[in-house]
Amino acid sequence: MDNQQTASSRSNDLILFWGCFLALMAAGVGFVVRAQIIGEWGSEFNLSSTQKGEIFGVGLWPAAISMVLFSLVVDRVGYKNAMIFGFVCHMVGAIMTIFAKDYTTLYVATFCMALAQGTVEAYINPAVASLFKTEKTKWLTILHASWPVGMVFGGVLVIGLDGIFAGDQTAESMSWLWQLKVALIFIPAVAYFVMLIRSKFPVDERVEAGVPYQEMLKEFGIIGALIVIALISAELGTHLGLSSTIIIGTVVVLTAVYAYFARSLGNPIFLILVIVMIPLATTELGTDSWITSLMEPEFAKLGMDSLWLLIYTSAIMAVLRFFAGPLVHRLSPLGLLAISALVAAGGLIFLSKATGAVILAAATLYGVGKTFFWPTMLGVVAERFPKGGALTLNGISAIGLLGVGIVGSVFLGNIQDNATYNGAEAYDAANGTAIQETYMGLEKRGIFGKYQALDQDKYSQAPEADKATIDNIQAESNKSALATVALFPVFMLVVYIGLILYFRSRGGYKPILLDENGNEVEVEKQH
């Protein structure tokens, strides 16, 4: 009887793990589809680069809202109820996107998809960490291989659809085609729902050890809460047209409420990780959001779809994440993060200067560098702050998504708009033309203030010679954005080296487990 129960439990755990894998894979499919069709949306709905950045952003930062909120209550509402809510958001978001008619409807639909992603991470991360208490970094890294797997799966199907319908280029057929691409998300979404609806989720490690709810709040801390609340309030306030006074007041009140219950600034090491998570997220997700359009001119010279670059780097990530265990064991999580930051910085600089077939080598370097960022950070948080439960584990992801969604993606878009505008000015001065005045006069407003953007309507009606000139100016501005992003992993490298030295002074990095009384016990790494 015991053997039957053990076999049944193992079967449930496997179905649960792979269901969680497919849930995050659905988010990866949605991400790569948006990255590929954003250009079509730009032409169809006359979006500036900054507006496209805002759509990329709303595909990320609302995930942080649902992630944080569910982390606070997921132990009480249950992982399965969170899963059902996430599935509904996936369905609603995909359907709304398919029937979107303008910037606003695209924005709202993408908002729903982001809520789905945040809810998914709110239950899959603590569930897997609780299933594999002594191998958290390894299994969380394998779990997060599902993100690049989703991008490879979605990217290959998207290119396949483009190939099938390559002969039919009418406006009506192209509109229908991008809608079909969005519908690809239904495949992994329905699959994960079928697998998880009957699965039994584990009890969270913190809850099982009897650690009080307040201890979880203390671990995350007032400073961590302040960062999350400030970022969310600033973004919502901007879109709702609220005054700075109301936004600041909201931040103060909500932070004070959290402080009343937590009564702790937070674990100092955790707060350092919180700070470094924002440039980490921008390096990985922010760059991935733009990589297709950034490198499109160079790939056009090779006669290739630039989406292959994102698929290629994602495939590298997927394969390497499945074999994370030996690397983590040999280097330690912080050592792996430091090396990854160094490689990613080199890869981004290489990409910003590479041309022709050399782009493949640069992309390989970048793909290897970004592979372990996100899941290894989650592993460090899960291993070092088990009392933080779902809140610290998901909170670190939430802050990353907030940072890149509200600031990172929009910042990259703004860099491109401004560089294109300035590049046109320089070109006009050198050649006596009027490219800037004729095509760059569309005034927009974003979180970085007013800016001048390329008017897509005027561009579409421009002579071919002017289009070629504008394309060349944009190509240079796009590549310069990659060199700017390289500053982020350099900063991360400095922080990781500092943490490595700190732990070395204390006997080395060791994971922490909770005993039956809820006490923290440092243990040697087990693999």
Side-chain angles (χ1 to χ4, degrees):
M1 186 66 177
D2 289 341
N3 289 337
Q4 290 180 345
Q5 288 179 337
T6 300
S8 176
S9 176
R10 288 176 180 172
S11 175
N12 174 82
D13 291 351
L14 285 174
I15 293 173
L16 176 66
F17 177 82
W18 291 112
C20 290
F21 188 96
L22 287 174
L24 189 56
M25 177 180 166
V29 172
F31 185 91
V32 76
V33 168
R34 281 198 302 277
Q36 199 272 342
I37 65 179
I38 193 68
E40 297 172 49
W41 286 350
S43 299
E44 186 167 339
F45 303 118
N46 195 21
L47 306 178
S48 69
S49 291
T50 300
Q51 283 181 312
K52 289 186 283 187
E54 288 167 351
I55 290 177
F56 276 131
V58 81
L60 297 172
W61 67 260
I65 297 177
S66 56
M67 201 181 300
V68 171
L69 292 180
F70 269 107
S71 294
L72 290 169
V73 299
V74 71
D75 298 327
R76 299 179 184 181
V77 303
Y79 292 153
K80 185 164 292 186
N81 288 330
M83 182 275 295
I84 293 171
F85 177 81
F87 174 74
V88 171
C89 288
H90 263 140
M91 295 297 99
V92 172
I95 293 170
M96 286 184 66
T97 303
I98 290 171
F99 292 100
K101 298 299 182 184
D102 53 25
Y103 168 79
T104 301
T105 49
L106 278 176
Y107 193 92
V108 173
T110 309
F111 180 92
C112 289
M113 296 290 284
L115 289 181
Q117 179 186 340
T119 306
V120 163
E121 291 217 44
Y123 67 82
I124 66 172
N125 290 328
V128 170
S130 297
L131 282 177
F132 305 101
K133 294 184 180 66
T134 61
E135 298 179 298
K136 292 174 184 175
T137 298
K138 171 185 173 180
W139 284 99
L140 284 169
T141 303
I142 294 174
L143 172 67
H144 282 261
S146 57
W147 176 266
V149 166
M151 291 199 288
V152 172
F153 173 80
V156 170
L157 288 182
V158 161
I159 291 177
L161 289 173
D162 283 336
I164 292 173
F165 295 99
D168 188 1
Q169 296 294 320
T170 63
E172 292 77 10
S173 68
M174 294 307 292
S175 176
W176 174 82
L177 182 56
W178 73 252
Q179 291 169 334
L180 178 61
K181 293 172 184 176
V182 172
L184 293 173
I185 196 173
F186 292 134
I187 299 172
V190 172
Y192 85 70
F193 179 79
V194 171
M195 294 179 71
L196 295 180
I197 193 64
R198 296 183 179 180
S199 298
K200 181 180 179 181
F201 284 85
V203 177
D204 183 77
E205 181 183 8
R206 176 191 67 82
V207 176
E208 188 178 40
V211 176
Y213 186 81
Q214 187 183 31
E215 287 296 315
M216 179 178 74
L217 300 180
K218 286 183 175 181
E219 203 80 341
F220 192 72
I222 298 170
I223 295 178
L226 173 62
I227 294 173
V228 171
I229 293 169
L231 288 171
I232 293 176
S233 298
E235 180 69 9
L236 292 180
T238 298
H239 289 283
L240 295 175
L242 301 179
S243 67
S244 298
T245 301
I246 294 177
I247 294 173
I248 294 173
T250 301
V251 173
V252 171
V253 170
L254 292 179
T255 304
V257 171
Y258 187 94
Y260 175 79
F261 291 102
R263 303 189 180 187
S264 168
L265 293 177
N267 188 298
I269 300 299
F270 175 74
L271 295 177
I272 292 174
L273 297 178
V274 163
I275 293 171
V276 82
M277 191 66 189
I278 296 176
L280 182 151
T282 302
T283 301
E284 180 178 338
L285 295 182
T287 306
D288 280 351
S289 295
W290 286 107
I291 199 74
T292 301
S293 59
L294 286 174
M295 303 308 296
E296 188 170 359
E298 291 295 337
F299 270 69
K301 296 175 185 177
L302 299 174
M304 296 175 62
D305 190 324
S306 60
L307 183 60
W308 280 114
L309 179 61
L310 184 56
I311 293 173
Y312 176 65
T313 58
S314 297
I316 292 173
M317 291 173 66
V319 172
L320 292 180
R321 285 182 179 183
F322 274 107
F323 299 97
L327 287 173
V328 173
H329 179 69
R330 183 175 182 82
L331 298 173
S332 89
L334 290 174
L336 182 56
L337 284 168
I339 292 175
S340 296
L342 179 62
V343 174
L348 286 169
I349 294 172
F350 197 2
L351 269 176
S352 72
K353 301 180 182 301
T355 59
V358 179
I359 288 177
L360 185 63
T364 302
L365 196 62
Y366 166 66
V368 172
K370 71 174 182 173
T371 290
F372 299 106
F373 278 157
W374 204 285
T376 306
M377 280 287 279
L378 292 184
V380 171
V381 171
E383 289 182 345
R384 292 296 306 180
F385 314 107
K387 284 188 175 182
L391 184 57
T392 49
L393 185 56
N394 291 322
I396 196 80
S397 279
I399 288 171
L401 290 176
L402 283 166
V404 69
I406 296 173
V407 180
S409 291
V410 182
F411 176 64
L412 291 177
N414 195 257
I415 288 175
Q416 293 172 70
D417 278 325
N418 288 329
T420 300
Y421 185 80
N422 294 331
E425 182 178 36
Y427 181 87
D428 289 339
N431 297 278
T433 53
I435 296 295
Q436 184 194 69
E437 180 181 352
T438 305
Y439 302 106
M440 309 286 179
L442 186 61
E443 186 171 283
K444 301 275 188 176
R445 177 179 289 275
I447 63 173
F448 296 103
K450 293 181 180 179
Y451 61 96
Q452 302 292 322
L454 173 67
D455 190 320
Q456 293 289 344
D457 288 338
K458 291 182 179 180
Y459 171 80
S460 65
Q461 299 171 16
E464 290 303 316
D466 284 357
K467 284 185 177 179
T469 298
I470 294 170
D471 290 343
N472 288 333
I473 294 171
Q474 284 187 312
E476 290 303 315
S477 64
N478 289 348
K479 293 184 71 174
S480 69
L482 291 175
T484 302
V485 177
L487 295 173
F488 293 134
V490 170
F491 168 75
M492 292 155 53
L493 174 62
V494 173
V495 175
Y496 292 138
I497 291 175
L499 288 173
I500 290 171
L501 295 176
Y502 167 78
F503 280 108
R504 184 171 296 175
S505 70
R506 299 171 62 88
Y509 175 94
K510 296 183 180 67
I512 293 174
L513 293 179
L514 298 176
D515 63 20
E516 62 275 8
N517 298 315
N519 298 315
E520 294 182 338
V521 179
E522 284 192 339
V523 296
E524 294 294 334
K525 194 77 174 176
Q526 298 180 40
H527 288 285

